[in-house]
Amino acid sequence: MVTLAEVARQAGVSPSTVSYVLSRKRSISDDTRRKVEAAIEALGYHPHAGARALASNRSNILALMVPLRSDMYVPVIMEIAMAVTTEAREYGQDVLLLTKDEGTRGVRRIAGSGLADAMIVMDVELDDDRIPVLRETDTPAVLIGLPADPAGLACVDLDFEATGAACADHLADLGHRDVALIGEGEGVYQRHTGFAALTLRGFQRRAAERGLRAMHRACEGTYESTAGILSRILEERPSTTAFVVQNESAIPPLLSLLRLSGRAVPEDTSVVAICPDQVALQSSPRLTSVSIPAEEMGRRAVRMVMAQLEGDRGESVTLLPPILTVRESSAPPSAS
Amino acid sequence: MVTLAEVARQAGVSPSTVSYVLSRKRSISDDTRRKVEAAIEALGYHPHAGARALASNRSNILALMVPLRSDMYVPVIMEIAMAVTTEAREYGQDVLLLTKDEGTRGVRRIAGSGLADAMIVMDVELDDDRIPVLRETDTPAVLIGLPADPAGLACVDLDFEATGAACADHLADLGHRDVALIGEGEGVYQRHTGFAALTLRGFQRRAAERGLRAMHRACEGTYESTAGILSRILEERPSTTAFVVQNESAIPPLLSLLRLSGRAVPEDTSVVAICPDQVALQSSPRLTSVSIPAEEMGRRAVRMVMAQLEGDRGESVTLLPPILTVRESSAPPSAS
DNA sequence: GTGAAAGCGCTAACAG
DNA sequence: CTGTTAGCGCTTTCAC
């Protein structure tokens, strides 16, 4: 372990000087700066994280709490986590991975130990028990997701209500009259995760406003459940000409089933997905979709949390506007 | 911030006593232990991570280096990461998330700063440039994956060569004669990631030994590429009656295409996948598969790294034996 | 523009 | 079984 003191000796300056060239908190002559930097380079010096945390009361670590096993689509979680990690490095911060199952104890542990300077919390439930703990703590925090009562907290999320509405609008614009939303699994609605319910509400309201007849069915995403739901929908309302899919796992089965039943997409049936762009682009045909801005949410969360570390009050709700991209899976309903 | 000193005062004992009840490094009378624990509880004390790291030279953090964007299947990466995190907590360790793109600089930074006690490295390439750095460092490390030269390092991985062989065996046992391996994308083979090449080798050798005619095609996993590869295989060798799929993304398209072309699985065509159990179980029909033991690898990696922190030499290669589970997608070839 | 020195909160000898 | 105390390596006044 090479220490700051050794660097100082090697450079022929005092320890505090070395500290200051590192922190840029006071001006240093070009000459000494160079000497110090040379010494750092030569010795391969890296400041001891613990010592720094102790003296400065800043760990330069952000805690990220992710779902251990959730109904959320795994690639989205991963993309958010990677975006958070990448963006955090831009601020010189590292990321500590916590699992949601540590729950409030995890939050208390982090806040109490100074292990992290701030927290980013994913997979937020409407009435999440971590929220009160976060509120009473003075550790800056940002939620990715929207709880029932966001008062006193900072949140980022896709505007799912607007997302549902955008899907209804697009299909109404194309001239569809009977549409169906294939949603997330039952569990997602029951666990009171906000996004699924919000999407549904936005979809139904806008559908009503636009004079569409809208159905909704929860879907677990397996081949079997998708098949069952599809056939039930088509039985109950054979005039259905368009589907909105929210559960990413249901996309491959749905496309496969439509093909099998001889319904061409988009000629006979339109499909609009709510999914990451990558999924929409990998499917065949490429899907018209509202993209889940996973990377954007991750980056924003970091920026928001860093702003709080700079003194920002940290009470804000950022809802990212949905972006619907028209691709090959949606078209006007066939004249038949 | 409540400190150990405050706890000591509240409990009417000396700071070191508090420290020792926490570390259990010397025996404490039941009476004092109770008083201390009560004080800790009452004050909501959590040891300061930085201070502890500085004084003990142990951060209680494990660094986990994950691929930022890889050709690896995302859910597998995620499952490993979650298993590592969960198992680490069993040892009182937290997990720091690093991205592979930090490369050797990342490794040096962590080793030099004492931020983590040890490293777990994923997405290892055959000739990974992080390996020499890991070797010269005295930071314990475990690779998840198998490099060309594992000398002096600890590694865990699925035994992919045996995996390829197991697939060939299963199909040979069923009586198939013409089989094809639908592999990973070109990039995976070119980046010199070991697992794809090993699987192929194991498959080809065993196929030859068992008198099978084996084909192999790389596959990007999109619907189009899968369609192209499938039709080329069936054109070049129409007698092909079984497929082994290594690229998880190719599974849904493959099943969909087989259905479309009227080939029933498993009556006309057998499919064996190399994928997490969950994927095999979600497909229809449920797939005969060799499971990717993501959780097992993550847990093992943690145990191995912890053993090194206890003094283990840390030179070992653990190859987990493949487990092939027969489900509904494989059967003897039709008599035709 | 630079140095000296006092902690930050904890661990681990050493002493009893 | 318990207490005293000297650091761990860094940041940050205070002083020049």
Side-chain angles (χ1 to χ4, degrees), chain A residues 14 16-17 26-27 29 32 54-55:
Chain A
S14 78
S16 61
T17 298
R26 73 183 186 191
S27 48
S29 74
T32 37
L54 179 56

Side-chain angles (χ1 to χ4, degrees), chain B residues 74-294:
Chain B
V74 173
V76 173
I77 298 172
M78 191 75 178
E79 193 176 343
I80 294 177
M82 292 303 101
V84 165
T85 307
T86 306
E87 185 72 6
R89 290 302 306 141
E90 300 285 308
Y91 290 87
Q93 302 280 124
D94 273 293
V95 170
L96 196 80
L97 199 58
L98 298 180
T99 55
K100 187 185 177 187
D101 69 312
E102 273 211 70
T104 59
R105 278 188 40 266
V107 176
R108 288 220 174 74
R109 186 167 67 82
I110 298 307
S113 66
L115 221 192
D117 297 329
M119 301 199 63
I120 295 176
V121 177
M122 294 180 60
D123 197 27
V124 180
E125 294 176 27
L126 279 181
D127 187 31
D128 205 297
D129 62 352
R130 294 168 296 183
I131 290 178
V133 183
L134 249 18
R135 277 212 192 85
E136 80 197 14
T137 291
D138 53 348
T139 305
V142 170
L143 311 183
I144 297 185
L146 190 61
D149 176 17
L153 292 168
C155 320
V156 222
D157 206 354
L158 172 60
D159 187 338
F160 279 100
E161 189 162 358
T163 298
C167 293
D169 269 333
H170 175 63
L171 295 174
D173 290 346
L174 287 173
H176 292 270
R177 307 303 318 266
D178 292 291
V179 299
L181 171 61
I182 297 179
E184 298 280 354
E186 287 290 356
V188 178
Y189 295 93
Q190 283 169 3
R191 273 198 308 112
H192 300 298
T193 314
F195 79 98
L198 288 172
T199 308
L200 177 56
R201 192 207 292 175
F203 179 70
Q204 288 177 325
R205 288 198 180 158
R206 186 59 53 86
E209 288 167 23
R210 300 291 304 261
L212 301 182
R213 298 206 297 166
M215 290 185 70
H216 165 251
R217 291 289 178 279
C219 175
E220 304 304 324
T222 60
Y223 189 87
E224 279 88 358
S225 83
T226 310
I229 282 151
L230 179 63
S231 67
R232 271 203 295 127
I233 293 177
L234 291 175
E235 215 165 275
E236 295 182 31
R237 196 171 288 165
S239 52
T240 302
T241 54
F243 295 93
V244 174
V245 207
Q246 174 148 227
N247 184 338
E248 288 90 345
S249 316
I251 294 176
L254 177 66
L255 293 176
S256 178
L257 288 158
L258 288 174
R259 246 190 287 266
L260 262 188
S261 70
R263 291 167 197 267
V265 175
E267 293 79 359
D268 305 322
T269 304
S270 287
V271 173
V272 176
I274 301 169
C275 67
D277 279 337
Q278 204 207 349
V279 174
L281 290 168
Q282 270 207 188
S283 301
S284 176
R286 276 177 267 286
L287 304 176
T288 292
S289 71
V290 173
S291 76
I292 307 239

Side-chain angles (χ1 to χ4, degrees), chain A residues 303-325:
Chain A
R303 290 196 205 112
M304 289 165 72
V305 100
M306 292 309 297
Q308 288 183 52
L309 284 172
E310 317 283 76
D312 183 278
R313 254 191 83 254
E315 170 158 5
S316 66
V317 173
T318 304
L319 291 182
L320 303 177
I323 298 177
L324 186 147
T325 304

